[in-house]
Amino acid sequence: MKKIKIIVVLLIVFVLVTGCSITTLDNNDFEKNVSTILSGKNRNYNVYFDGYKYNIPQGMKFVSKKEYNAVLQDVNNNKYYMYIDAISYYHKDKSNFEVDKTAYYSKELSYNDIEGYLQIEEIDYKYLVQFMYNYSKIECYVSKKDLNDSIINMAYILRSVKFNRSVLGSLIGDNTLSYNEEEYSLFDKKNKSEDFLDVVYENDDAYKEAVDEDEIDLDSE
């Protein structure tokens, strides 16, 4: 009994000292999981690039990266297409997302004064997930059995994105950053008519290689 009490006390002390908290997620409720994750705070980072950093969950890996785009892959071989919208962050653009009532799930998000949205569309018995939060966006196309885990991964990654405004200022300047002469903003997205993946596919050779040839090529900075 004394050993059990000592272990409990040590656990409590560990939580208080490290600031960690135990997060309980529901295997069948992605909406609750998103709220739980985005309401919390991130303290860990394992990805560092010029002007921003973030954390990817254990078990995930890079497939490729170019500029502000990255392709990630989880343990179930699902690919995640991520875009960091440094321009919108730098200029503090506001979201104009409109809920799509015809979608499987569509909701505007706001946690800790950070805006975003989560939209899920059922296409050919699979699910296209579009998750934007914290001036960053991830898309993936997964089966129903992987839907909840994928959304959890996305939420953890997007919550962790942290920008360095002074560094981005030196990189972006006065609207000097462009995407093949056409700025792409996550906040200007029209729910179905302008697909993020279409924009990336048409303008980024790294993505064409990753999608068409399934190559693993981490272009590190």
Side-chain angles (χ1 to χ4, degrees):
M1 180 64 74
K2 288 184 178 180
K3 289 183 178 180
I4 294 176
K5 289 183 178 179
I6 292 174
I7 292 174
V8 172
V9 171
L10 290 175
L11 286 173
I12 294 174
V13 172
F14 175 79
V15 170
L16 292 176
V17 172
T18 62
C20 296
S21 60
I22 298 175
T23 302
T24 302
L25 299 178
D26 190 326
N27 291 331
N28 299 307
D29 191 341
F30 64 80
E31 185 172 42
K32 179 181 178 182
N33 292 339
V34 167
S35 179
T36 299
I37 295 170
L38 297 188
S39 296
K41 295 183 178 180
N42 178 73
R43 295 179 175 84
N44 301 311
Y45 301 94
N46 54 21
V47 177
Y48 299 83
F49 296 116
D50 290 343
Y52 64 96
K53 60 183 178 180
Y54 56 89
N55 186 75
I56 60 175
Q58 185 176 4
M60 294 193 70
K61 64 179 181 180
F62 274 99
V63 174
S64 65
K65 179 196 175 293
K66 184 177 181 181
E67 297 178 350
Y68 290 92
N69 302 317
V71 181
L72 309 175
Q73 185 171 300
D74 65 20
V75 295
N76 295 318
N77 296 320
N78 295 307
K79 286 186 177 178
Y80 300 69
Y81 299 86
M82 183 174 182
Y83 175 70
I84 302 292
D85 193 351
I87 291 178
S88 290
Y89 167 78
Y90 188 75
H91 296 292
K92 298 299 180 183
D93 292 339
K94 298 296 183 181
S95 174
N96 58 4
F97 174 75
E98 295 182 4
V99 172
D100 183 357
K101 295 182 180 179
T102 66
Y104 177 82
Y105 181 86
S106 182
K107 184 176 181 179
E108 189 170 13
L109 306 173
S110 180
Y111 296 91
N112 299 320
D113 296 323
I114 300 174
E115 297 178 330
Y117 61 81
L118 173 60
Q119 184 158 298
I120 306 171
E121 298 173 52
E122 187 174 3
I123 302 174
D124 295 332
Y125 304 102
K126 295 183 71 174
Y127 296 86
L128 173 63
V129 184
Q130 305 175 67
F131 198 153
M132 197 288 289
Y133 182 75
N134 200 9
Y135 295 99
S136 309
K137 182 180 179 184
I138 306 177
E139 288 200 357
C140 70
Y141 184 58
V142 298
S143 63
K144 189 170 186 177
K145 67 180 181 63
D146 292 334
L147 180 61
N148 190 61
D149 287 343
S150 295
I151 292 174
I152 289 174
N153 287 334
M154 290 174 158
Y156 275 123
I157 296 171
L158 294 174
R159 183 190 74 176
S160 72
V161 176
K162 186 173 183 179
F163 295 94
N164 186 319
R165 186 170 182 81
S166 60
V167 172
L168 289 177
S170 65
L171 296 174
I172 296 174
D174 297 327
N175 269 327
T176 58
L177 183 64
S178 64
Y179 196 84
N180 284 6
E181 300 180 354
E182 178 183 357
E183 290 186 0
Y184 180 79
S185 173
L186 303 180
F187 295 109
D188 293 334
K189 177 182 179 299
K190 297 177 182 178
N191 295 347
K192 286 187 176 182
S193 60
E194 292 184 4
D195 190 350
F196 168 75
L197 291 181
D198 289 340
V199 175
V200 171
Y201 187 86
E202 289 298 325
N203 292 281
D204 195 322
D205 290 337
Y207 271 94
K208 289 181 181 180
E209 293 176 1
V211 174
D212 292 342
E213 302 176 14
D214 201 27
E215 292 186 358
I216 296 178
D217 177 23
L218 173 57
D219 178 19
S220 59
E221 295 184 358

